[in-house]
Amino acid sequence: MINKITFILLSLFFMRGFTYASDPPDLNFDEIDQLLDNQFEEKNNQIDAIYEAYSKAIDDAFKGASKKISVHWPKDIRLPSKSIWVGYAQDLKTRSFVNYKKGEVIIETKIKDNNIKNANKNIHQMARSLSSNNNSDIVKLDVFSKELKNNLAKTDINLKEPKPDKYNTLKLLIPENTKIKDSKIASFTKVMQKVTKTPEIGKTDTKTAQKKRDNLPKKQTKNAITQETVLNTTQNIKSGVKLELIKKGQDAILRMSIKFVNNYQKILMEENFDDVKRFSTKYNVPVSIILAIIETESSFNPRAVSAVPAFGLMQLVPKTAGVDAHNYVHGEKRIVSPDFLFDETNNLQLGTAYFKLLQSRYLRKIKDPQSRFYCAVASYNTGIGNLAKTFIKDKNLSKAALKINNMTPEQVYQYLIVNLPAQETKNYLKKIVSRKAKYEHFDS
């Protein structure tokens, strides 16, 4: 009698298009099982080969972007992270830091030939780009993303790309009036003129500065190199926009600070709430868990990047969670591009589906739902293998589940907090549990 699993696999075998030049050979079920195993192994090998090239392209993109940026910002290279998105103008001399955790945008530009007026123009041009309706204007500022696209174009890697660009949600977070009065800018020009006439202001002899750095503890050396002096500052009281003239080493920098509008996280949440609710229902994952993961992973930054590498709102790792979730959602093992994961809808669907997989497939042998939840959260951060090793020093999930099932949910939680190998994962679990409680009113 054909067992249920074999029957399903046999159906998939013919549905997925494994074809022959002539009629299929007369195979018994053991031979079909072996053939399926070979097909799956071949697919996994293809995924591994693609990801190896993909991973190299990502690494080269970080290096390539850093090299280009270092020409203009040699001691202060900044690239995107989980909660901070970084954008550069085409000449790389003007840049922006969008901090979703602090709720602010910093725009800075190097002042050339003491021309404050032109520097101010560059600052406001960047502000306009950040406030554009079109997400494509944001993409143009992403040096890392452009570098990665160029690297991938040189390979035969065919990654799944997103649908056409969406609306730029950053526009909703930045106050409309970021302009500083011309009279204030004029005062900056006067200060700049004084600085250039008095070299000792904001300027230190190179040899003396090096001696001072050599005598500092290592932890303070970096701060000494990037030490800066604020020469002048002004503020738009109504919008809270602040403009500063800064001397940093031998460079003069004009910097604008813009606070996000009030309740900006609520605005970001509402922009994606329909998708969150839809995928919550579809994959049976509470809204509170999805929102807690988003806040913890990216602070609602849709273009979040980490060194793992992981991308987007729910920080999907393309090779592991990305492939598994895509296979579950679309029936195909496939590596998707960072741009695909920067799309909020794509990211939310795959991220929610992956959490569903953790609970209903990988950790299904854990009987208590609360214990399973704690283990799924830890696995989302550190991986299911590391979770199993936390309990039994082995990656066998079935054996780990036996131990977990002899513990109460509170004991499981406390065991994880004490025994998880990485402090990051311990903190992650605490944050998700705390933030889930904050969003639980959405589950009703």
Side-chain angles (χ1 to χ4, degrees):
M1 186 175 184
I2 303 173
N3 64 54
K4 186 176 181 181
I5 293 176
T6 303
F7 179 78
I8 293 171
L9 290 175
L10 182 60
S11 300
L12 288 171
F13 175 75
F14 293 109
M15 287 172 63
R16 295 299 295 166
F18 295 118
T19 58
Y20 298 89
S22 58
D23 291 337
D26 187 15
L27 302 175
N28 62 40
F29 287 106
D30 287 339
E31 290 172 328
I32 289 175
D33 283 342
Q34 183 60 52
L35 182 60
L36 283 171
D37 286 341
N38 292 340
Q39 293 281 5
F40 291 141
E41 183 179 356
E42 181 182 349
K43 183 65 175 178
N44 285 335
N45 289 337
Q46 290 174 359
I47 292 288
D48 288 341
I50 290 171
Y51 190 75
E52 186 176 345
Y54 178 51
S55 184
K56 184 179 185 305
I58 291 172
D59 188 49
D60 289 345
F62 276 114
K63 291 177 181 176
S66 297
K67 186 176 180 180
K68 289 179 179 178
I69 294 165
S70 69
V71 174
H72 302 287
W73 305 88
K75 295 178 182 178
D76 194 12
I77 298 168
R78 303 283 291 276
L79 287 169
S81 65
K82 290 175 73 170
S83 61
I84 302 175
W85 178 76
V86 183
Y88 287 81
Q90 189 171 358
D91 64 2
L92 302 178
K93 293 177 183 178
T94 305
R95 61 186 186 178
S96 58
F97 313 115
V98 183
N99 192 321
Y100 286 83
K101 195 170 186 177
K102 289 185 176 180
E104 67 177 6
V105 178
I106 304 294
I107 305 174
E108 59 182 23
T109 189
K110 290 198 171 184
I111 300 170
K112 186 178 180 182
D113 300 327
N114 302 329
N115 193 333
I116 297 287
K117 187 175 181 180
N118 192 56
N120 186 52
K121 179 181 176 183
N122 293 336
I123 288 273
H124 281 87
Q125 178 58 52
M126 175 65 77
R128 282 192 295 274
S129 295
L130 296 176
S131 301
S132 169
N133 287 326
N134 300 318
N135 201 48
S136 58
D137 290 327
I138 298 294
V139 175
K140 290 176 185 176
L141 302 173
D142 197 326
V143 176
F144 164 74
S145 184
K146 287 193 290 187
E147 195 73 16
L148 178 57
K149 278 186 176 181
N150 290 337
N151 290 346
L152 291 173
K154 299 173 186 175
T155 71
D156 294 327
I157 302 174
N158 180 24
L159 300 177
K160 190 166 185 177
E161 295 290 344
K163 295 176 182 178
D165 288 325
K166 291 185 172 183
Y167 177 78
N168 172 30
T169 54
L170 191 55
K171 178 181 174 63
L172 303 173
L173 311 183
I174 299 176
E176 290 185 8
N177 183 17
T178 60
K179 188 173 177 59
I180 300 291
K181 290 182 179 180
D182 292 340
S183 58
K184 300 287 187 181
I185 302 300
S187 69
F188 276 50
T189 302
K190 291 177 182 178
V191 172
M192 193 67 210
Q193 290 170 346
K194 288 181 181 178
V195 170
T196 54
K197 289 178 182 178
T198 316
E200 63 270 16
I201 298 177
K203 187 175 180 180
T204 306
D205 176 72
T206 305
K207 290 183 179 179
T208 303
Q210 186 60 51
K211 284 181 181 180
K212 288 182 179 179
R213 289 198 291 269
D214 291 341
N215 292 328
L216 285 171
K218 286 186 178 180
K219 288 184 179 180
Q220 293 183 28
T221 303
K222 185 177 179 181
N223 291 334
I225 293 173
T226 58
Q227 188 175 7
E228 57 186 46
T229 304
V230 178
L231 302 175
N232 199 9
T233 182
T234 188
Q235 191 165 358
N236 182 326
I237 303 298
K238 188 176 181 179
S239 65
V241 174
K242 182 169 68 173
L243 196 66
E244 295 173 298
L245 175 61
I246 292 167
K247 193 71 175 176
K248 195 170 186 178
Q250 301 305 306
D251 293 321
I253 294 170
L254 192 63
R255 177 181 297 161
M256 177 181 281
S257 304
I258 307 170
K259 291 289 183 185
F260 282 171
V261 296
N262 293 333
N263 298 317
Y264 73 93
Q265 281 196 332
K266 182 181 178 183
I267 293 171
L268 285 170
M269 184 186 71
E270 288 174 348
E271 278 296 298
N272 295 301
F273 193 76
D274 286 346
D275 281 339
V276 170
K277 193 76 175 174
R278 177 160 58 99
F279 297 134
S280 168
T281 302
K282 185 171 185 177
Y283 301 112
N284 195 28
V285 177
V287 169
S288 58
I289 294 177
I290 301 172
L291 294 177
I293 290 174
I294 295 170
E295 182 180 349
T296 305
E297 289 286 0
S298 65
S299 300
F300 294 90
N301 172 14
R303 298 187 69 82
V305 177
S306 69
V308 173
F311 303 97
L313 286 173
M314 296 182 75
Q315 285 291 276
L316 273 293
V317 179
K319 185 183 180 183
T320 52
V323 169
D324 284 356
H326 191 277
N327 188 41
Y328 178 67
V329 171
H330 300 291
E332 178 187 19
K333 282 190 173 183
R334 184 153 188 186
I335 294 175
V336 296
S337 70
D339 280 343
F340 183 89
L341 294 175
F342 289 150
D343 179 284
E344 293 98 320
T345 301
N346 293 336
N347 197 286
L348 290 169
Q349 181 171 26
L350 294 190
T352 306
Y354 183 65
F355 197 86
K356 162 75 172 180
L357 282 173
L358 289 174
Q359 291 196 297
S360 65
R361 181 180 295 177
Y362 299 120
L363 304 174
R364 67 187 182 279
K365 291 186 179 181
I366 299 175
K367 295 177 181 178
D368 187 274
Q370 189 64 25
S371 295
R372 196 184 313 123
F373 162 68
Y374 292 142
C375 291
V377 170
S379 298
Y380 195 95
N381 179 262
T382 192
I384 52 175
N386 287 332
L387 172 86
K389 286 174 69 177
T390 300
F391 286 96
I392 60 168
K393 312 303 178 188
D394 187 278
K395 290 189 175 183
N396 189 309
L397 286 170
S398 295
K399 290 180 181 178
L402 289 174
K403 182 173 181 177
I404 293 167
N405 287 336
N406 286 320
M407 304 165 72
T408 67
E410 181 59 26
Q411 286 172 332
V412 171
Y413 178 80
Q414 292 302 331
Y415 188 92
L416 288 168
I417 294 301
V418 172
N419 294 285
L420 279 165
Q423 186 61 45
E424 177 195 337
T425 310
K426 295 176 184 179
N427 294 339
Y428 184 83
L429 178 57
K430 291 177 185 177
K431 288 176 182 177
I432 295 294
V433 170
S434 172
R435 288 167 178 169
K436 177 181 180 295
K438 181 174 71 172
Y439 295 117
E440 280 180 345
H441 61 281
F442 290 118
D443 294 335
S444 57

